[in-house]
Amino acid sequence: MAEHWTEDDLILYFYGEGRRRVEIEQHLQRCAACANAYRNIAGTLAMIKTPATPERGDQYGLEVWQRIRHDIADRQAPWWMVWMQPQRLGVLAAAAVLLIAAFVAGRVWEHQPPAAPTVATNATAPAPDSTTAANNADVRRRILLTSVADHLDRSERVLTDVVNASSPRDLSSEREWADDLLKTSRLYRQNAADAGERSVASVLDELERSLIDIVNSPSPISAADLDNIRRRIDAAALLFKVRVISDELRQREDFTARPAGTVRGPADRKTS
Amino acid sequence: MEALEVGSAEAALARARRGDSEAFRELVERHSRTVFRLAFRMTGNEHDAEDVVQESFLRAYKQLGRFESRANFGTWLYRITANCAVDLMRSRQARHDVSRGESLDGDIHQPTAEAPGPDRIAQSAEIEATVQNALGGLSPLERAAFTLRHYEGRSIDEIATTLGLGTSAAKHSVFRAVKKLRLALEPLRASGG
């Protein structure tokens, strides 16, 4: 080739592209002008190094989720739209049939003699074999309730510590504590969601957000940063929600732990 | 183990496509760092990169219905991120610099007049600053095409697909970017940088 290669050809060649790479390679060995032009291009492009990307920790994905989750909820279709899909209409019809059946059964039930008054009793009935599976499910649920209640109690303590902290101070122990809680919190939230415990999952979700704030807080924390964390905890009424859900879980745990057939009277209730 | 991860990713994607936001959360957690890396390379700063990360996931969620299940979610998300970055750079440019055109001899930041000092670290810092300035002088499309080619190692065809351009337009965006960068960096090279 008598002509010289263009700058565009040489740029493509530098990046390993172009259909005439072999021709260009041979030409560069013969033509000093093109070889010089190529050296200039390659030299300049070699100066442009890939920038180092700032580190993002293991919790980064969760942080991103916390930032966008409200927008995701806003963008979701209205709940009833889900049931308008053809494949869901069958389920809707089945639910309607069950509802009617339950209504009819309820009407029949009303004519049965009234049940014995619900007085406190310790009488227990042996559980039939057919209820073993249900009992296992109850045990699993009870374990979950207990674990989540304990987790919420621990979280309440770290939140309280942070809310009452005087600034500026080192929050490193609270940060480590929050980091541990954060890992378990995600598991419990997932379990709670799987078990249909929506309100529990929702509080755990909000809790995670504040735990992330604490984990990512600078050391020592400034008054302004501490104030921001406190404001977010207050704005979400998080401490209140954590206490309420924890109490509720304790009560349910207590209720499911009692043997079948026992009904607690008012005297059995905790007065604390 | 890897097969299990792929399986769970596919399951999460399938559930997310049915409107399960919890499943979408899994995808966000899985892909956030990759999305951030691309966003940072394209925008050149953390703040803009974070904006791009958020907008990319929101856009992906909105468009999940259009995602073809046979396609690769990561590749699809990569494309969305690249285009979000271009959109953000365009809006920034429109807001801050309406006069900056696309011409070669337009507003290209020149390196500082002083010759680079003997200290190698200072020299490399100057090169980096000059490169950043020069990249700032590119149009959003040129910068995106150059980033995908130079930093991400994507072919011209892949750049065209990612940015929704014809092959020729993608190629010329890279050419224009390289020419502008050469013009801006040439004095540094001439002075021994």
Side-chain angles (χ1 to χ4, degrees):
Chain A
M1 180 177 170
E3 298 288 321
H4 296 299
W5 291 94
T6 65
E7 184 182 6
D8 293 352
D9 292 324
L10 295 177
I11 291 169
L12 281 184
Y13 178 76
F14 173 83
Y15 285 123
E17 296 204 54
R19 280 171 292 179
R20 303 169 76 179
R21 288 185 47 76
V22 179
E23 278 177 63
I24 294 176
E25 199 169 329
Q26 288 168 352
H27 180 80
L28 288 178
Q29 284 168 5
R30 293 193 308 268
C31 175
C34 284
N36 190 43
Y38 178 71
R39 265 196 303 277
N40 278 339
I41 291 170
T44 307
L45 289 174
M47 289 167 71
I48 306 172
K49 303 271 190 287
T50 305
T53 308
E55 274 299 310
R56 288 294 182 264
D58 292 341
Q59 304 292 338
Y60 179 62
L62 188 58
E63 288 169 30
V64 172
W65 171 255
Q66 294 289 3
R67 289 204 298 264
I68 66 171
R69 67 192 181 114
H70 294 298
D71 290 320
I72 294 279
D74 289 347
R75 292 184 191 202
Q76 276 179 325
W79 65 271
W80 50 265
M81 282 289 284
V82 174
W83 295 99
M84 290 300 110
Q85 295 169 5
Q87 64 268 32
R88 298 269 169 109
L89 283 175
V91 179
L92 203 60
V97 169
L98 278 175
L99 194 66
I100 292 165
F103 175 75
V104 172
R107 299 285 295 171
V108 172
W109 204 262
E110 279 176 7
H111 298 291
Q112 301 289 325
T118 56
V119 182
T121 170
N122 284 327
T124 56
D129 291 343
S130 59
T131 60
T132 306
N135 284 343
N136 286 342
D138 277 350
V139 169
R140 278 200 298 276
R141 181 173 285 260
R142 202 161 62 237
I143 291 169
L144 174 66
L145 296 181
T146 309
S147 308
V148 173
D150 289 346
H151 172 74
L152 289 174
D153 289 348
R154 283 194 296 274
S155 301
E156 184 192 334
R157 283 199 288 278
V158 76
L159 290 177
T160 308
D161 279 3
V162 170
V163 166
N164 295 327
S166 56
S167 59
R169 58 159 287 196
D170 182 17
L171 282 182
S172 52
S173 63
E174 284 85 355
R175 235 186 353 255
E176 279 176 32
W177 197 3
D179 197 28
D180 289 341
L181 288 168
L182 188 58
K183 285 170 191 130
T184 45
S185 202
R186 298 170 70 182
L187 291 174
Y188 288 140
R189 176 179 42 75
Q190 188 60 53
N191 287 340
D194 292 346
E197 299 280 355
R198 284 176 177 274
S199 56
V200 176
S202 167
V203 168
L204 287 170
D205 197 33
E206 290 185 46
L207 175 62
E208 275 175 38
R209 193 170 196 172
S210 285
L211 292 175
I212 288 174
D213 284 347
I214 297 168
V215 169
N216 291 335
S217 64
S219 179
I221 192 165
S222 66
D225 285 332
L226 187 58
D227 200 38
N228 275 339
I229 294 177
R230 280 185 190 137
R231 258 208 304 269
R232 280 200 284 269
I233 292 172
D234 286 346
L238 189 57
L239 268 170
F240 175 74
K241 287 178 189 169
V242 165
R243 280 174 198 146
V244 167
I245 291 289
S246 175
D247 284 350
E248 188 191 315
L249 292 179
R250 294 277 184 222
Q251 282 173 17
R252 284 169 58 191
E253 173 196 336
D254 198 29
F255 180 81
T256 52
R258 276 181 293 113
T262 60
V263 179
R264 185 161 52 187
D268 297 322
R269 291 189 186 279
K270 283 182 189 170
T271 51
S272 57
Chain B
M1 185 68 189
E2 201 173 300
L4 192 72
E5 279 195 7
V6 171
S8 73
E10 282 174 0
L13 180 58
R15 283 190 287 126
R17 293 186 74 216
R18 289 195 296 269
D20 181 345
S21 59
E22 197 58 32
F24 189 69
R25 173 193 199 125
E26 285 178 37
L27 297 173
V28 171
E29 293 194 24
R30 191 182 292 264
H31 293 277
S32 281
R33 285 205 271 191
T34 315
V35 169
F36 175 75
R37 193 206 62 201
L38 175 64
F40 179 76
R41 285 181 177 179
M42 293 195 77
T43 59
N45 75 77
E46 281 188 73
H47 183 262
D48 285 349
E50 291 291 3
D51 284 351
V52 169
V53 170
Q54 277 182 233
E55 185 53 32
S56 299
F57 280 115
L58 290 173
R59 211 180 275 187
Y61 187 78
K62 206 174 168 187
Q63 296 176 3
L64 263 180
R66 280 188 256 162
F67 173 71
E68 291 176 25
S69 53
R70 283 173 301 173
N72 180 299
F73 181 75
T75 309
W76 183 69
L77 187 61
Y78 187 93
R79 208 174 300 158
I80 289 176
T81 307
N83 285 289
C84 276
V86 171
D87 290 347
L88 181 126
M89 287 188 284
R90 277 186 179 136
S91 69
R92 292 270 189 277
Q93 198 176 51
R95 206 180 309 152
H96 297 297
D97 193 357
V98 287
S99 64
R100 179 171 289 158
E102 300 262 333
S103 68
L104 251 181
D105 50 359
D107 180 18
I108 294 173
H109 297 262
Q110 294 296 330
T112 49
E114 294 88 5
D119 187 338
R120 197 170 172 76
I121 297 170
Q123 197 175 45
S124 84
E126 182 177 3
I127 292 171
E128 206 177 310
T130 310
V131 167
Q132 283 309 314
N133 270 343
L135 286 169
L138 303 180
S139 75
L141 210 53
E142 288 162 358
R143 182 170 181 149
F146 179 78
T147 301
L148 293 174
R149 179 57 271 185
H150 194 77
Y151 296 149
E152 295 282 303
R154 303 280 159 169
S155 70
I156 296 289
D157 287 339
E158 286 171 326
I159 294 168
T161 309
T162 301
L163 298 178
L165 302 170
T167 307
S168 177
K171 202 186 282 182
H172 281 95
S173 294
V174 174
F175 292 158
R176 290 173 70 86
V178 171
K179 282 170 190 169
K180 286 184 180 183
L181 292 169
R182 284 190 68 200
L183 200 65
L185 298 175
E186 197 53 42
L188 265 187
R189 241 181 77 71
S191 64

